[in-house]
Amino acid sequence: MTPAELSRTVLTTVRRAVDAAELAVEVPEKVVVQRPPRPGCGDYATNVALQLAGPAGRTAREVAEILRRRLAREPGIAGVQIAGAGFLNITLSSRAYDVVVRRVREERERYGYGDGLADERVTVAATDGAVRGTLVAEVANVLLRAAGALPAAPDTPPEPLEVAEPATPADLSATPAELSTGRTAPLTLAALESALGRDAARWALLRPPAEDVPRLDAPARAALLAQREANPLFRVRYAHARTRALLRNAHDLGMPADGEADAADTCTVEEAGPHPAPVDGGGPSPASPGAPSPSHHPAETELLGLIADFPRVVESAARRRGPDRVARHLERLADAFARFHDECGVLPKGDEKPSAVHAARLRLTDAAGIVLADGLHLLGISAPDRI
């Protein structure tokens, strides 16, 4: 279940509560669900009860309890907790995450594409001579198409795009005569690509938010080329390469990621016991009494959530004309994969035999690699299988 699908589920729950006369409010057009600010608060959270409390003439916790009872019965939801003044913390079932992994591996390079902007026709363009603006506009148009927006009609002027342009470093593409006078030629993308290579040059201009001026001085350029953990671009590309290496190693062990899932294999689960019972009466869905959802390792939950969130990030980046949102999400995804890799055994060790858990973790690894590659390709950056 993706965040967009969960948002629709919560919205449907509100509508059903209104139809059943449990709530006397106008049904909102949309409901926002977000990753919680800290671990232990479920997989997603929504403040919809706080939004509806005033119009409903009830306290937020009363509204939250009405919605909690209904949400807990929805397929794909393992439990719902009421927190604070009336926030709903939602924990997805393992099978809901299984669906996300399967969808990523089926759609592959099309995962993240959607139709959220299908009713828009827009093309963005930067002012002439804007080196960074031209590149950001190029990628913003790619994101708009990925989110379903059509190009603007031929007789429609493009939407202007303004971003902070970098200063030209004195040591970049300057002749000895220019250096001696302190004057340099205007920065060009070709000159930056000559110094950094295409991938690092694009990351340098796309990663900062639109209002931030990219740093292109010699130390900053050296940092972009460093193959070390402090370099975000290296971390993202290394994480992708690591996922491909694990798939190759699994193949050598006779563990193909495309093997059929065991009936009891609900994505990746801990074998330490049942899911903790939520507070405020939240428990396993009444549709499955006596069968609580097994808990995920925290590193798995974080990684799964970021994978599921990728389509929403792409649409948000398109709406905001902000490729930096995709870049930052890739950094978070790469860091989450590193934690997952360190804390969860993807492949059997020593004399350990491959299990359903290993197979599920291998599929999760494959899904993470697909999303990392998809995000890099949307930015026009390569995703090598080996580094």
Side-chain angles (χ1 to χ4, degrees):
M1 184 180 294
T2 66
E5 292 167 340
L6 179 58
S7 176
R8 289 193 292 270
T9 297
V10 176
L11 187 60
T12 299
T13 299
V14 173
R15 186 174 294 111
R16 288 173 177 168
V18 170
D19 292 343
E22 293 179 333
L23 291 175
V25 296
E26 183 177 342
V27 179
E29 291 187 4
K30 65 178 182 179
V31 170
V32 176
V33 297
Q34 298 176 322
R35 299 286 295 166
R38 59 185 182 277
C41 297
D43 297 324
Y44 292 97
T46 178
N47 65 349
V48 64
L50 282 79
Q51 296 175 355
L52 299 178
R58 294 170 176 262
T59 68
R61 289 187 69 89
E62 288 175 337
V63 175
E65 177 58 26
I66 291 171
L67 299 179
R68 185 202 65 77
R69 289 196 303 266
R70 288 182 169 273
L71 276 173
R73 295 195 293 266
E74 290 293 323
I77 293 180
V80 184
Q81 299 176 340
I82 301 174
F87 291 93
L88 289 169
N89 292 342
I90 303 169
T91 300
L92 302 183
S93 70
S94 296
R95 291 196 180 279
Y97 275 130
D98 220 16
V99 171
V100 172
V101 172
R102 188 179 303 114
R103 177 182 166 190
V104 173
R105 300 184 66 234
E106 288 175 351
E107 297 183 6
R108 304 198 73 81
E109 67 274 3
R110 298 294 297 179
Y111 182 70
Y113 283 60
D115 57 3
L117 300 184
D119 58 345
E120 296 190 22
R121 297 197 66 169
V122 59
T123 300
V124 299
T127 58
D128 292 340
V131 175
R132 184 189 180 206
T134 299
L135 178 61
V136 173
E138 171 199 317
V139 177
N141 284 319
V142 170
L143 294 169
L144 284 163
R145 305 302 160 253
L150 295 174
D155 57 345
T156 303
E159 175 187 299
L161 179 72
E162 294 186 5
V163 299
E165 291 290 330
T168 303
D171 64 334
L172 191 61
S173 71
T175 65
E178 289 171 334
L179 287 173
S180 66
T181 61
R183 296 192 302 271
T184 59
L187 178 68
T188 65
L189 183 58
L192 190 58
E193 289 182 349
S194 177
L196 291 174
R198 173 183 165 88
D199 291 336
R202 293 176 75 90
W203 184 270
L205 297 179
L206 295 172
R207 169 59 181 84
E211 65 275 11
D212 290 359
V213 177
R215 283 187 55 205
L216 297 178
D217 53 68
R221 297 200 307 274
L224 281 165
L225 296 175
Q227 294 199 11
R228 59 184 62 177
E229 190 176 346
N231 179 0
L233 175 58
F234 173 74
R235 288 205 312 275
V236 171
R237 284 155 53 96
Y238 178 80
H240 171 263
R242 187 62 189 143
T243 67
R244 303 304 97 181
L246 285 168
L247 291 174
R248 291 192 298 270
N249 293 342
H251 183 270
D252 293 343
L253 292 173
M255 285 181 55
D258 292 325
E260 291 295 324
D262 189 285
D265 175 21
T266 52
C267 199
T268 314
V269 298
E270 281 287 286
E271 298 173 302
H275 198 286
V279 298
D280 296 297
S285 167
S288 54
S293 174
S295 62
H296 297 83
H297 188 286
E300 295 169 319
T301 300
E302 180 185 18
L303 181 59
L304 283 159
L306 290 167
I307 289 172
D309 213 24
F310 183 65
R312 183 199 63 79
V313 171
V314 172
E315 182 177 321
S316 174
R319 290 184 184 276
R320 301 282 184 168
R321 319 303 193 244
D324 59 290
R325 290 171 176 256
V326 174
R328 290 198 301 274
H329 189 76
L330 294 180
E331 291 178 28
R332 290 192 291 269
L333 181 58
D335 293 342
F337 176 75
R339 286 188 288 272
F340 163 75
H341 177 271
D342 292 344
E343 298 177 20
C344 304
V346 177
L347 301 179
K349 298 179 180 179
D351 295 332
E352 186 181 9
K353 293 183 178 180
S355 68
V357 170
H358 290 122
R361 288 175 174 167
L362 189 60
R363 287 190 289 276
L364 177 56
T365 296
D366 187 27
I370 290 169
V371 175
L372 287 166
D374 288 353
L376 287 169
H377 292 157
L378 286 170
L379 300 178
I381 297 173
S382 67
D385 286 352
R386 289 179 169 84
I387 290 184

